[in-house]
Amino acid sequence: MDLPPITKSLRFRLSWITSAVVFGIGGLALGVVYLAVLDTVRGLTMTRRVVTGGHTVEIDGTTLLFPQIEEQQIRTLESLVREFILNQVAATTLLVFAALFVLSLVVGWFTAGRALRPLTRITAVAEEIEATDLTRRIGLAGPPDELTRMAGTFDAMLDRLDRAFRSQRELLAKTSHDLRTPLAVIRSNVEVALDDPGTTVDDWRATGRLVSRASDQMGRMVEELLAVARLEVGEVLMVDLDLADAANTVATDWAARMEAAGVTITVDARPAVIEGDRATLDRAVSNLVDNALRMSPRDTTITIGSGSVGGWAYLAVADRGPGIDPAVVEGSADGRGLGLPIVREVARLHHGRLTADDRDGGGSAIVLWIPNDAATGPTPSIDALPAVYRQ
């Protein structure tokens, strides 16, 4: 037999638990009172004395005068008095038990409803939220108890989801724009070559080289999109690693391109052991180095380094380019390309943060901060880094 829906609710179960506790404590108290009265009544005694004009019967200090009474009558009266008192106490106790049971149910029902009222509000907000509108918040006020902490955690989760959805929408918009540009270049140049009857072999070769460059650009963008997709689904392997190894590896991989571009590369790799994913960290540093190389003039220096400050490990890339808006690096302002969004996603994956600061001698230093077991407080400023990143 199916029970009514109300019996399956949390409020119903909590009310029954509260009722059982109240009824149990109250019943125990009444039982103790009844036993105490029973012991007192059973100890009740009567004594008889002959006086002028009759007999007196004394019941625990209370004296009654009877014209004529026998010993057997005293015992019978004593038994009747006891029986009467016990019956009255028993009847009163049963009535109080019944009233206590009903009262405990009512108190339990309203107490459970009062305690679950914030949960009802949280449920209502959660039901009204859609994936396209994450602006609603619970904003539960009150003492710092379990429910307000749960509401605060729910609001914080909504904030993270809102940022994640905004990031995805921005990434989709950037991807659409960046993919459309090389496709338009390929299409327009091929159409021009096809429509021109005088196109020569050299013209076709030039068109082919242009299409190859655009295809390479699209290929890099597709690889970056795949990297973002892997990060989103959590295809990472967290192990203990030293960020100094990542800095040295990326510097070695980019040395030839740096030399071809007329840019000098220096490495300031200091030990910084964390728990992280080596592949995603290599991708993040490579993206930062790629951005730095594209912005750096010839005969300048790019510095790649790692280390640890105040419990925060860092991977830093410093250049002498025109600089970059820190808001673009941190994601609070719009920027082009997928490189920085991927680095920010890597930072989020490692519970870290991506920051940027201007250098005293020109250029910028972009730092990927990752907390380790000793990390406390916010991420340090660039002033905490070695001078090579600041000057």
Side-chain angles (χ1 to χ4, degrees), residues 309 357 369 379-385 390:
V309 175
D357 289 279
W369 296 98
T379 55
S381 65
I382 192 174
D383 295 332
L385 295 180
R390 295 182 278 110

Side-chain angles (χ1 to χ4, degrees), residues 48-70:
R48 180 173 66 91
R49 294 195 306 272
V50 179
V51 296
T52 303
H55 298 73
T56 62
V57 176
E58 185 178 346
I59 305 176
D60 276 6
T62 301
T63 302
L64 302 176
L65 177 63
F66 294 93
Q68 189 71 29
I69 190 169
E70 300 294 334

Side-chain angles (χ1 to χ4, degrees), residues 27-335:
L28 180 62
L30 287 175
V32 171
V33 171
Y34 178 78
L35 292 176
V37 172
L38 180 63
D39 182 70
T40 301
V41 171
R42 284 178 175 175
L44 192 66
T45 59
M46 294 184 182
T47 58
R48 180 173 66 91
R49 294 195 306 272
V50 179
V51 296
T52 303
H55 298 73
T56 62
V57 176
E58 185 178 346
I59 305 176
D60 276 6
T62 301
T63 302
L64 302 176
L65 177 63
F66 294 93
Q68 189 71 29
I69 190 169
E70 300 294 334
E71 184 71 23
Q72 184 63 34
Q73 292 175 321
I74 292 176
R75 300 306 172 202
T76 302
L77 178 62
E78 181 181 16
S79 177
L80 290 175
V81 170
R82 289 175 178 171
E83 189 70 23
F84 174 78
I85 294 175
L86 291 177
N87 288 338
Q88 290 297 316
V89 171
T92 304
T93 302
L94 290 176
L95 289 176
V96 174
F97 261 118
L100 180 62
F101 177 72
V102 176
L103 181 62
S104 66
L105 288 178
V106 174
V107 170
W109 181 259
F110 283 100
T111 301
R114 178 73 177 180
L116 294 176
R117 187 177 300 171
L119 286 179
T120 304
R121 179 177 176 182
I122 294 173
T123 303
V125 173
E127 290 175 347
E128 294 174 2
I129 291 175
E130 298 179 359
T132 55
D133 182 17
L134 298 175
T135 59
R136 290 292 306 276
R137 296 293 182 271
I138 298 172
L140 186 64
D145 55 15
E146 290 81 357
L147 291 177
T148 53
R149 288 198 297 270
M150 183 179 68
T153 302
F154 189 79
D155 287 342
M157 180 191 68
L158 290 178
D159 290 336
R160 292 192 296 269
L161 287 175
D162 192 19
R163 289 194 297 269
F165 274 100
R166 284 203 308 267
S167 177
Q168 288 182 349
R169 287 193 293 267
E170 293 172 1
L171 185 62
L172 180 60
K174 294 174 183 178
T175 303
S176 301
H177 177 271
D178 291 347
L179 284 176
R180 191 182 299 115
T181 300
L183 283 174
V185 170
I186 293 173
R187 183 183 298 109
S188 61
N189 282 272
V190 171
E191 288 177 352
V192 168
L194 289 174
D195 293 339
D196 186 2
T199 302
T200 64
V201 174
D202 292 336
D203 294 333
W204 278 112
R205 287 197 179 98
T207 301
R209 288 191 293 270
L210 188 146
V211 170
S212 178
R213 289 194 298 270
S215 299
D216 290 341
Q217 181 182 358
M218 292 178 61
R220 289 194 300 270
M221 295 177 62
V222 171
E223 289 179 359
E224 291 178 344
L225 285 174
L226 291 176
V228 171
R230 286 192 292 269
L231 291 175
E232 289 291 340
V233 299
E235 292 184 0
V236 294
L237 178 62
M238 295 294 189
V239 296
D240 290 335
L241 54 88
D242 192 345
L243 294 182
D245 295 335
N248 286 319
T249 299
V250 173
T252 301
D253 293 342
W254 282 80
R257 291 184 59 182
M258 295 279 188
E259 184 179 357
V263 176
T264 303
I265 183 171
T266 60
V267 182
D268 181 53
R270 308 184 185 194
V273 178
I274 64 162
E275 183 179 358
D277 179 70
R278 180 59 183 271
T280 57
L281 289 170
D282 285 348
R283 161 70 71 174
V285 182
S286 294
N287 286 358
L288 295 180
V289 173
D290 185 31
N291 288 339
L293 181 59
R294 285 189 283 106
M295 291 187 295
S296 295
R298 294 182 65 86
D299 300 326
T300 58
T301 300
I302 293 177
T303 301
I304 305 173
S306 63
S308 181
V309 175
W312 286 84
Y314 66 85
L315 276 169
V317 177
D319 61 66
R320 292 297 183 185
I324 187 171
D325 186 357
V328 173
V329 174
E330 296 177 9
S332 56
D334 189 25

